[in-house]
Amino acid sequence: MESDKRIDSSLSEKNVLRSQMRLSLKEITLSEKKIMSENACRIFLASDLYKSSSIILSYKDLKSEISPEIINQAAVKDKKLLAFPRVCPDSSDMDFYFYSQTHKEETPFKKGSFGIMEPEEKAEDLLSEERLLENSNITVIVPGLAFDKNAGRLGKGKGYYDRYIKRLALMAEASSSKLFLLGMGFTCQITDKVPLDHHDQLLDGLLTDTEMIIF
């Protein structure tokens, strides 16, 4: 009973914080988003973390999210392996698919679950244990609604990233790869403390429009 009360309290705190953050994000104009997104991307691209990353798991931003698009473009130019998430419609999971670009064609994206642009589902592009090179440095750029400076992150409540990161950690361990979880958001999304449950995955760093913090 006591455990159930703690879970209910945590859910309530999370939902209150989600509502607060959604209101804050509505105040950001498109021009402000563009400037702040560019600032955050430049901070990351100048970092040793980006330079050492051989694989980058990124995302396609929604209107209310900070955009990693400049990072995505740089990763392609620098010939890093780049992957994007796709929600599995028949389950509560998601997978990442490698982005490919040739002179003839590039990976197509279309609007999928929750209005997010997702890559086409191609078995040959699926990020799997077999596709990971030995001793890869994998950086996962993780969006969210709120972050704190103690490695906490609040998502939208579906748990897709938390579940996927557990699977990815096992894949990385099998290939002796290093995994770095980098939260990415606007400075206004940083709060004093994010309420956490046992299943929530802690971040290794946080990237905003003003700084990059390594925990």
Side-chain angles (χ1 to χ4, degrees):
M1 290 292 292
E2 196 65 35
S3 175
D4 291 341
K5 288 180 181 179
R6 286 199 297 269
I7 292 172
D8 290 342
S9 175
S10 176
L11 284 173
S12 177
E13 290 176 9
K14 286 184 174 183
N15 288 333
V16 169
L17 184 54
R18 285 188 181 104
S19 296
Q20 292 172 344
M21 285 299 168
R22 287 189 176 107
L23 288 175
S24 295
L25 291 170
K26 284 183 179 179
E27 298 296 318
I28 299 175
T29 66
L30 289 178
S31 59
E32 289 171 336
K33 169 181 171 171
K34 182 176 184 294
I35 292 170
M36 289 189 282
S37 296
E38 289 174 353
N39 289 343
C41 290
R42 289 194 180 101
I43 290 171
F44 178 60
L45 293 176
S47 70
D48 291 335
L49 177 61
Y50 173 73
K51 294 169 187 173
S52 65
S53 298
S54 50
I55 299 175
I56 294 178
L57 274 57
S58 188
Y59 65 94
K60 291 287 187 179
D61 55 290
L62 293 170
K63 183 180 178 181
S64 61
E65 292 177 326
I66 195 166
S67 174
E69 189 56 32
I70 292 177
I71 294 171
N72 300 341
Q73 293 171 5
V76 172
K77 181 180 177 182
D78 294 335
K79 294 182 170 37
K80 295 179 184 288
L81 290 175
L82 178 66
F84 293 93
R86 177 185 175 86
V87 171
C88 306
D90 298 326
S91 73
S92 59
D93 290 325
M94 73 177 183
D95 282 308
F96 272 76
Y97 290 82
F98 285 114
Y99 173 86
S100 61
Q101 183 179 47
T102 65
H103 293 299
K104 293 183 179 180
E105 61 179 342
E106 63 181 59
T107 299
F109 287 83
K110 64 179 181 179
K111 190 173 290 188
S113 302
F114 314 109
I116 299 170
M117 297 301 292
E118 297 179 333
E120 187 176 276
E121 185 178 11
K122 290 185 177 180
E124 63 269 26
D125 294 334
L126 177 67
L127 193 163
S128 61
E129 186 177 319
E130 294 75 21
R131 291 291 307 272
L132 288 183
L133 302 175
E134 289 290 321
N135 302 308
S136 298
N137 288 332
I138 307 167
T139 294
V140 187
I141 303 176
V142 189
L145 275 176
F147 306 90
D148 64 32
K149 293 189 176 181
N150 296 307
R153 167 190 171 269
L154 178 69
K156 295 179 181 178
K158 302 296 184 181
Y160 287 109
Y161 271 92
D162 292 314
R163 288 189 294 274
Y164 182 76
I165 287 167
K166 285 184 179 180
R167 291 166 51 206
L168 182 61
L170 293 175
M171 286 191 276
E173 183 179 359
S175 65
S176 300
S177 296
K178 294 180 181 178
L179 185 61
F180 193 98
L181 306 178
L182 182 67
M184 185 174 183
F186 300 107
T187 300
C188 68
Q189 291 178 265
I190 300 178
T191 189
D192 291 336
K193 185 179 180 181
V194 170
L196 298 174
D197 296 319
H198 67 278
H199 61 267
D200 293 320
Q201 299 294 308
L202 294 178
L203 301 171
D204 298 304
L206 177 60
L207 174 66
T208 72
D209 48 285
T210 60
E211 61 183 342
M212 187 169 81
I213 307 167
I214 306 299
F215 299 127

